[in-house]
mmCIF file of all heavy atoms in Angstrom:
data_model
loop_
_atom_site.group_PDB
_atom_site.id
_atom_site.type_symbol
_atom_site.label_atom_id
_atom_site.label_comp_id
_atom_site.label_asym_id
_atom_site.label_seq_id
_atom_site.Cartn_x
_atom_site.Cartn_y
_atom_site.Cartn_z
ATOM 1 N N LYS A 1442 71.354 102.159 127.868
ATOM 2 C CA LYS A 1442 71.900 100.928 128.446
ATOM 3 C C LYS A 1442 72.685 100.141 127.260
ATOM 4 O O LYS A 1442 72.203 100.161 126.164
ATOM 5 C CB LYS A 1442 70.783 100.016 128.904
ATOM 6 C CG LYS A 1442 71.233 98.624 129.365
ATOM 7 C CD LYS A 1442 70.101 97.949 130.208
ATOM 8 C CE LYS A 1442 70.709 96.610 130.690
ATOM 9 N NZ LYS A 1442 71.811 96.722 131.581
ATOM 10 N N VAL A 1443 73.755 99.490 127.730
ATOM 11 C CA VAL A 1443 74.441 98.704 126.664
ATOM 12 C C VAL A 1443 73.687 97.389 126.677
ATOM 13 O O VAL A 1443 73.462 96.724 127.691
ATOM 14 C CB VAL A 1443 75.957 98.387 127.215
ATOM 15 C CG1 VAL A 1443 76.663 97.430 126.269
ATOM 16 C CG2 VAL A 1443 76.697 99.795 127.218
ATOM 17 N N ILE A 1444 73.415 96.930 125.444
ATOM 18 C CA ILE A 1444 72.613 95.676 125.262
ATOM 19 C C ILE A 1444 73.558 94.637 124.680
ATOM 20 O O ILE A 1444 74.043 94.792 123.623
ATOM 21 C CB ILE A 1444 71.437 95.856 124.281
ATOM 22 C CG1 ILE A 1444 70.455 97.056 124.771
ATOM 23 C CG2 ILE A 1444 70.612 94.662 124.047
ATOM 24 C CD1 ILE A 1444 69.764 96.789 126.107
ATOM 25 N N ARG A 1445 73.787 93.610 125.430
ATOM 26 C CA ARG A 1445 74.629 92.456 125.017
ATOM 27 C C ARG A 1445 73.820 91.188 124.816
ATOM 28 O O ARG A 1445 74.284 90.328 124.179
ATOM 29 C CB ARG A 1445 75.685 92.259 125.995
ATOM 30 C CG ARG A 1445 76.674 93.402 126.160
ATOM 31 C CD ARG A 1445 77.852 93.058 126.932
ATOM 32 N NE ARG A 1445 78.883 94.152 126.865
ATOM 33 C CZ ARG A 1445 78.951 95.143 127.706
ATOM 34 N NH1 ARG A 1445 78.141 95.234 128.784
ATOM 35 N NH2 ARG A 1445 79.917 96.048 127.576
ATOM 36 N N ASN A 1446 72.657 91.120 125.466
ATOM 37 C CA ASN A 1446 71.807 89.840 125.322
ATOM 38 C C ASN A 1446 70.324 90.269 125.591
ATOM 39 O O ASN A 1446 69.997 91.350 125.864
ATOM 40 C CB ASN A 1446 72.475 88.834 126.244
ATOM 41 C CG ASN A 1446 72.475 89.413 127.688
ATOM 42 O OD1 ASN A 1446 71.684 90.008 128.159
ATOM 43 N ND2 ASN A 1446 73.742 89.101 128.270
ATOM 44 N N VAL A 1447 69.555 89.164 125.495
ATOM 45 C CA VAL A 1447 68.085 89.309 125.700
ATOM 46 C C VAL A 1447 67.785 89.879 127.208
ATOM 47 O O VAL A 1447 66.916 90.610 127.378
ATOM 48 C CB VAL A 1447 67.349 87.981 125.362
ATOM 49 C CG1 VAL A 1447 65.929 88.158 125.849
ATOM 50 C CG2 VAL A 1447 67.422 87.672 123.956
ATOM 51 N N SER A 1448 68.588 89.381 128.128
ATOM 52 C CA SER A 1448 68.359 89.844 129.530
ATOM 53 C C SER A 1448 68.607 91.341 129.701
ATOM 54 O O SER A 1448 67.780 92.015 130.400
ATOM 55 C CB SER A 1448 69.377 89.097 130.400
ATOM 56 O OG SER A 1448 69.229 89.572 131.768
ATOM 57 N N ASP A 1449 69.551 91.926 129.003
ATOM 58 C CA ASP A 1449 69.846 93.312 128.988
ATOM 59 C C ASP A 1449 68.656 94.025 128.357
ATOM 60 O O ASP A 1449 68.198 95.127 128.880
ATOM 61 C CB ASP A 1449 71.105 93.649 128.234
ATOM 62 C CG ASP A 1449 72.375 93.354 128.836
ATOM 63 O OD1 ASP A 1449 72.325 93.120 130.139
ATOM 64 O OD2 ASP A 1449 73.432 93.208 128.233
ATOM 65 N N GLN A 1450 68.025 93.518 127.332
ATOM 66 C CA GLN A 1450 66.871 94.092 126.716
ATOM 67 C C GLN A 1450 65.632 94.092 127.665
ATOM 68 O O GLN A 1450 64.939 95.098 127.794
ATOM 69 C CB GLN A 1450 66.386 93.299 125.419
ATOM 70 C CG GLN A 1450 67.281 93.546 124.243
ATOM 71 C CD GLN A 1450 66.852 92.791 123.006
ATOM 72 O OE1 GLN A 1450 67.039 91.488 123.095
ATOM 73 N NE2 GLN A 1450 66.144 93.326 122.172
ATOM 74 N N GLN A 1451 65.493 92.979 128.308
ATOM 75 C CA GLN A 1451 64.447 92.909 129.292
ATOM 76 C C GLN A 1451 64.586 93.957 130.439
ATOM 77 O O GLN A 1451 63.517 94.514 130.883
ATOM 78 C CB GLN A 1451 64.288 91.455 129.889
ATOM 79 C CG GLN A 1451 63.827 90.439 128.781
ATOM 80 C CD GLN A 1451 64.031 89.037 129.262
ATOM 81 O OE1 GLN A 1451 64.700 88.728 130.177
ATOM 82 N NE2 GLN A 1451 63.336 88.092 128.499
ATOM 83 N N LYS A 1452 65.787 94.081 130.922
ATOM 84 C CA LYS A 1452 66.054 95.081 131.978
ATOM 85 C C LYS A 1452 65.761 96.445 131.534
ATOM 86 O O LYS A 1452 65.178 97.222 132.177
ATOM 87 C CB LYS A 1452 67.517 94.941 132.400
ATOM 88 C CG LYS A 1452 67.780 93.770 133.249
ATOM 89 C CD LYS A 1452 69.181 93.675 133.605
ATOM 90 C CE LYS A 1452 69.500 92.360 134.361
ATOM 91 N NZ LYS A 1452 70.896 92.224 134.613
ATOM 92 N N LEU A 1453 66.118 96.813 130.243
ATOM 93 C CA LEU A 1453 65.811 98.102 129.738
ATOM 94 C C LEU A 1453 64.338 98.315 129.537
ATOM 95 O O LEU A 1453 63.802 99.412 129.989
ATOM 96 C CB LEU A 1453 66.497 98.335 128.349
ATOM 97 C CG LEU A 1453 66.311 99.680 127.691
ATOM 98 C CD1 LEU A 1453 66.716 100.850 128.643
ATOM 99 C CD2 LEU A 1453 67.082 99.805 126.342
ATOM 100 N N GLN A 1454 63.601 97.356 129.105
ATOM 101 C CA GLN A 1454 62.130 97.396 129.057
ATOM 102 C C GLN A 1454 61.557 97.564 130.457
ATOM 103 O O GLN A 1454 60.650 98.315 130.642
ATOM 104 C CB GLN A 1454 61.555 96.115 128.355
ATOM 105 C CG GLN A 1454 60.077 96.211 128.177
ATOM 106 C CD GLN A 1454 59.607 97.243 127.290
ATOM 107 O OE1 GLN A 1454 60.010 97.288 126.090
ATOM 108 N NE2 GLN A 1454 58.743 98.198 127.801
ATOM 109 N N SER A 1455 62.162 96.949 131.394
ATOM 110 C CA SER A 1455 61.592 97.134 132.791
ATOM 111 C C SER A 1455 61.868 98.587 133.329
ATOM 112 O O SER A 1455 60.970 99.126 133.964
ATOM 113 C CB SER A 1455 62.405 96.195 133.782
ATOM 114 O OG SER A 1455 62.031 94.859 133.527
ATOM 115 N N VAL A 1456 62.932 99.160 132.864
ATOM 116 C CA VAL A 1456 63.174 100.585 133.331
ATOM 117 C C VAL A 1456 62.150 101.442 132.596
ATOM 118 O O VAL A 1456 61.627 102.409 133.166
ATOM 119 C CB VAL A 1456 64.623 101.000 132.982
ATOM 120 C CG1 VAL A 1456 64.753 102.532 133.086
ATOM 121 C CG2 VAL A 1456 65.588 100.272 133.903
ATOM 122 N N MET A 1457 61.929 101.159 131.329
ATOM 123 C CA MET A 1457 60.938 101.958 130.603
ATOM 124 C C MET A 1457 59.523 101.814 131.163
ATOM 125 O O MET A 1457 58.786 102.839 131.306
ATOM 126 C CB MET A 1457 60.898 101.521 129.049
ATOM 127 C CG MET A 1457 62.101 101.854 128.246
ATOM 128 S SD MET A 1457 62.148 101.280 126.660
ATOM 129 C CE MET A 1457 60.692 101.912 125.987
ATOM 130 N N ASN A 1458 59.196 100.626 131.587
ATOM 131 C CA ASN A 1458 57.907 100.455 132.315
ATOM 132 C C ASN A 1458 57.780 101.168 133.547
ATOM 133 O O ASN A 1458 56.842 101.816 133.888
ATOM 134 C CB ASN A 1458 57.689 98.970 132.509
ATOM 135 C CG ASN A 1458 57.552 98.096 131.290
ATOM 136 O OD1 ASN A 1458 57.354 98.562 130.226
ATOM 137 N ND2 ASN A 1458 57.679 96.840 131.454
ATOM 138 N N LEU A 1459 58.930 101.231 134.271
ATOM 139 C CA LEU A 1459 58.933 101.993 135.558
ATOM 140 C C LEU A 1459 58.716 103.488 135.338
ATOM 141 O O LEU A 1459 58.000 104.098 135.953
ATOM 142 C CB LEU A 1459 60.313 101.831 136.227
ATOM 143 C CG LEU A 1459 60.312 102.631 137.542
ATOM 144 C CD1 LEU A 1459 60.675 101.751 138.725
ATOM 145 C CD2 LEU A 1459 61.537 103.611 137.378
ATOM 146 N N VAL A 1460 59.353 104.007 134.293
ATOM 147 C CA VAL A 1460 59.284 105.416 133.916
ATOM 148 C C VAL A 1460 57.798 105.680 133.573
ATOM 149 O O VAL A 1460 57.183 106.715 133.936
ATOM 150 C CB VAL A 1460 60.217 105.847 132.857
ATOM 151 C CG1 VAL A 1460 59.857 107.258 132.248
ATOM 152 C CG2 VAL A 1460 61.644 105.743 133.265
ATOM 153 N N LYS A 1461 57.163 104.880 132.731
ATOM 154 C CA LYS A 1461 55.825 105.026 132.378
ATOM 155 C C LYS A 1461 54.879 105.007 133.512
ATOM 156 O O LYS A 1461 54.018 105.818 133.711
ATOM 157 C CB LYS A 1461 55.342 103.973 131.359
ATOM 158 C CG LYS A 1461 53.946 104.030 130.925
ATOM 159 C CD LYS A 1461 53.657 105.258 130.119
ATOM 160 C CE LYS A 1461 52.214 105.182 129.597
ATOM 161 N NZ LYS A 1461 51.295 106.193 130.107
ATOM 162 N N ASN A 1462 55.071 104.000 134.513
ATOM 163 C CA ASN A 1462 54.257 103.867 135.658
ATOM 164 C C ASN A 1462 54.445 105.086 136.583
ATOM 165 O O ASN A 1462 53.464 105.693 137.146
ATOM 166 C CB ASN A 1462 54.520 102.550 136.414
ATOM 167 C CG ASN A 1462 54.178 101.429 135.679
ATOM 168 O OD1 ASN A 1462 53.250 101.438 134.882
ATOM 169 N ND2 ASN A 1462 54.771 100.233 135.973
ATOM 170 N N TRP A 1463 55.715 105.586 136.711
ATOM 171 C CA TRP A 1463 55.946 106.763 137.506
ATOM 172 C C TRP A 1463 55.276 107.967 137.015
ATOM 173 O O TRP A 1463 54.663 108.729 137.690
ATOM 174 C CB TRP A 1463 57.508 106.995 137.553
ATOM 175 C CG TRP A 1463 57.994 108.160 138.323
ATOM 176 C CD1 TRP A 1463 58.272 108.247 139.657
ATOM 177 C CD2 TRP A 1463 58.066 109.462 137.867
ATOM 178 N NE1 TRP A 1463 58.627 109.520 140.040
ATOM 179 C CE2 TRP A 1463 58.471 110.273 138.907
ATOM 180 C CE3 TRP A 1463 57.844 110.113 136.578
ATOM 181 C CZ2 TRP A 1463 58.698 111.652 138.782
ATOM 182 C CZ3 TRP A 1463 58.076 111.468 136.451
ATOM 183 C CH2 TRP A 1463 58.572 112.219 137.588
ATOM 184 N N SER A 1464 55.362 108.231 135.652
ATOM 185 C CA SER A 1464 54.723 109.304 135.030
ATOM 186 C C SER A 1464 53.186 109.304 135.155
ATOM 187 O O SER A 1464 52.495 110.261 135.361
ATOM 188 C CB SER A 1464 55.107 109.471 133.586
ATOM 189 O OG SER A 1464 54.535 108.405 132.790
ATOM 190 N N ASP A 1465 52.643 108.090 135.154
ATOM 191 C CA ASP A 1465 51.188 107.950 135.229
ATOM 192 C C ASP A 1465 50.807 108.252 136.672
ATOM 193 O O ASP A 1465 49.792 108.927 136.941
ATOM 194 C CB ASP A 1465 50.682 106.536 134.964
ATOM 195 C CG ASP A 1465 50.760 106.191 133.467
ATOM 196 O OD1 ASP A 1465 50.810 107.121 132.683
ATOM 197 O OD2 ASP A 1465 50.711 104.993 133.090
ATOM 198 N N GLU A 1466 51.561 107.771 137.659
ATOM 199 C CA GLU A 1466 51.292 108.051 139.074
ATOM 200 C C GLU A 1466 51.296 109.499 139.453
ATOM 201 O O GLU A 1466 50.528 110.054 140.206
ATOM 202 C CB GLU A 1466 52.315 107.202 139.929
ATOM 203 C CG GLU A 1466 52.121 107.424 141.414
ATOM 204 C CD GLU A 1466 53.216 106.676 142.265
ATOM 205 O OE1 GLU A 1466 53.728 105.673 141.706
ATOM 206 O OE2 GLU A 1466 53.383 107.100 143.419
ATOM 207 N N TRP A 1467 52.273 110.176 138.808
ATOM 208 C CA TRP A 1467 52.500 111.641 139.063
ATOM 209 C C TRP A 1467 51.725 112.553 138.120
ATOM 210 O O TRP A 1467 51.994 113.764 138.184
ATOM 211 C CB TRP A 1467 54.014 111.953 139.206
ATOM 212 C CG TRP A 1467 54.551 111.406 140.388
ATOM 213 C CD1 TRP A 1467 55.417 110.257 140.505
ATOM 214 C CD2 TRP A 1467 54.457 111.896 141.717
ATOM 215 N NE1 TRP A 1467 55.814 109.944 141.728
ATOM 216 C CE2 TRP A 1467 55.167 110.997 142.547
ATOM 217 C CE3 TRP A 1467 53.834 112.900 142.324
ATOM 218 C CZ2 TRP A 1467 55.251 111.189 143.904
ATOM 219 C CZ3 TRP A 1467 53.918 113.105 143.717
ATOM 220 C CH2 TRP A 1467 54.591 112.278 144.496
ATOM 221 N N LEU A 1468 50.909 111.900 137.285
ATOM 222 C CA LEU A 1468 50.075 112.678 136.273
ATOM 223 C C LEU A 1468 50.935 113.568 135.317
ATOM 224 O O LEU A 1468 50.568 114.694 135.071
ATOM 225 C CB LEU A 1468 49.121 113.576 137.033
ATOM 226 C CG LEU A 1468 48.094 112.765 137.988
ATOM 227 C CD1 LEU A 1468 47.265 113.822 138.721
ATOM 228 C CD2 LEU A 1468 47.372 111.777 137.321
ATOM 229 N N LEU A 1469 52.154 113.032 134.983
ATOM 230 C CA LEU A 1469 53.024 113.712 134.022
ATOM 231 C C LEU A 1469 52.939 112.968 132.741
ATOM 232 O O LEU A 1469 53.525 111.933 132.558
ATOM 233 C CB LEU A 1469 54.414 113.654 134.667
ATOM 234 C CG LEU A 1469 55.447 114.491 133.969
ATOM 235 C CD1 LEU A 1469 55.141 116.034 133.960
ATOM 236 C CD2 LEU A 1469 56.826 114.269 134.503
ATOM 237 N N GLU A 1470 52.237 113.559 131.821
ATOM 238 C CA GLU A 1470 51.932 112.800 130.582
ATOM 239 C C GLU A 1470 53.200 112.809 129.670
ATOM 240 O O GLU A 1470 53.848 113.838 129.481
ATOM 241 C CB GLU A 1470 50.840 113.483 129.776
ATOM 242 C CG GLU A 1470 50.409 112.845 128.584
ATOM 243 C CD GLU A 1470 49.237 113.431 127.837
ATOM 244 O OE1 GLU A 1470 48.564 114.284 128.546
ATOM 245 O OE2 GLU A 1470 48.989 113.279 126.565
ATOM 246 N N LEU A 1471 53.472 111.561 129.223
ATOM 247 C CA LEU A 1471 54.665 111.529 128.267
ATOM 248 C C LEU A 1471 54.250 111.752 126.898
ATOM 249 O O LEU A 1471 53.136 111.327 126.481
ATOM 250 C CB LEU A 1471 55.312 110.111 128.423
ATOM 251 C CG LEU A 1471 55.835 109.618 129.668
ATOM 252 C CD1 LEU A 1471 56.297 108.158 129.601
ATOM 253 C CD2 LEU A 1471 57.032 110.505 130.119
ATOM 254 N N ASN A 1472 55.082 112.480 126.096
ATOM 255 C CA ASN A 1472 54.765 112.687 124.714
ATOM 256 C C ASN A 1472 55.325 111.570 123.950
ATOM 257 O O ASN A 1472 56.497 111.583 123.421
ATOM 258 C CB ASN A 1472 55.311 114.034 124.211
ATOM 259 C CG ASN A 1472 54.914 114.419 122.850
ATOM 260 O OD1 ASN A 1472 54.403 113.527 122.022
ATOM 261 N ND2 ASN A 1472 55.084 115.615 122.456
#
């Protein structure tokens, strides 16, 4: 993601949270 401001950072963190939640739900452990 291109980060231009704090809002962009928050959106990227939200995507990272989604990936973590998705991996937990599907029992796919992240390294």
Side-chain angles (χ1 to χ4, degrees):
K1442 178 163 183 62
V1443 174
I1444 305 295
R1445 293 188 174 95
N1446 51 47
V1447 173
S1448 176
D1449 288 340
Q1450 286 180 284
Q1451 292 169 344
K1452 289 177 184 175
L1453 180 57
Q1454 182 65 58
S1455 294
V1456 171
M1457 290 175 57
N1458 294 343
L1459 176 123
V1460 169
K1461 176 66 171 116
N1462 292 337
W1463 178 92
S1464 70
D1465 289 346
E1466 179 182 338
W1467 289 103
L1468 305 175
L1469 187 65
E1470 187 177 340
L1471 298 176
N1472 187 344

